[in-house]
Amino acid sequence: EVQLVESGGGLVQAGGSLSLSCAASGFTFNGDWTIRWFRQAPGKEREGVSCITSEHAITVYADSVKARFTMSIDKSKSTVYLQMNSLEPEDTAVYYCAADYYSDCWDKEVNFEFWGQGTQVTVSS
């Protein structure tokens, strides 16, 4: 089955760190892919967190996480990561990764081909 498999969510205290992973299963990130992290907190709209291109590993971040989160890709493992530092309670959400071939990180509207199942990140104060 072609899918994205997420892991790494959990409960951390404010100021702590957490690393999420999103692994391609049944396909690879070879070629020109855009992979993004989204998050959705209860009662809130889904928001984009970060994006990376598989071709050149160019990254884009939401202002709310810039300088705190770092997205990276390991093409040998077809896995992307989201290193989250200085976590805040406002970062609490279900985090989803999504991948689309050929689209760019700066594209406004993308219908992603694949979505991860989501992983819960909870940041306590």
Side-chain angles (χ1 to χ4, degrees):
E1 179 69 21
V2 175
Q3 59 184 325
L4 297 175
V5 181
E6 299 181 35
S7 63
L11 173 64
V12 297
Q13 292 189 347
S17 298
L18 202 61
S19 182
L20 308 182
S21 65
C22 173
S25 179
F27 71 108
T28 73
F29 288 143
N30 291 330
D32 192 4
W33 291 84
T34 287
I35 309 100
R36 301 190 190 192
W37 287 99
F38 295 89
R39 66 186 183 186
Q40 187 165 25
K44 298 181 181 178
E45 298 288 324
R46 186 181 68 196
E47 64 174 329
V49 175
S50 63
C51 180
I52 194 166
T53 63
S54 65
E55 191 72 18
H56 302 293
I58 304 298
T59 52
V60 178
Y61 300 95
D63 288 341
S64 59
V65 306
K66 197 170 295 183
R68 298 190 298 118
F69 292 7
T70 302
M71 192 173 183
S72 61
I73 184 168
D74 184 342
K75 294 183 70 174
S76 71
K77 298 179 179 179
S78 285
T79 301
V80 298
Y81 305 91
L82 185 66
Q83 178 64 46
M84 304 182 292
N85 301 130
S86 301
L87 283 162
E88 305 166 355
E90 310 87 82
D91 297 315
T92 295
V94 178
Y95 284 69
Y96 300 90
C97 62
D100 187 72
Y101 190 76
Y102 197 62
S103 63
D104 297 310
C105 285
W106 50 89
D107 287 344
K108 277 185 169 292
E109 192 72 24
V110 177
N111 292 320
F112 290 93
E113 299 178 54
F114 304 106
W115 285 86
Q117 80 279 10
T119 184
Q120 177 71 49
V121 172
T122 303
V123 184
S124 65
S125 59

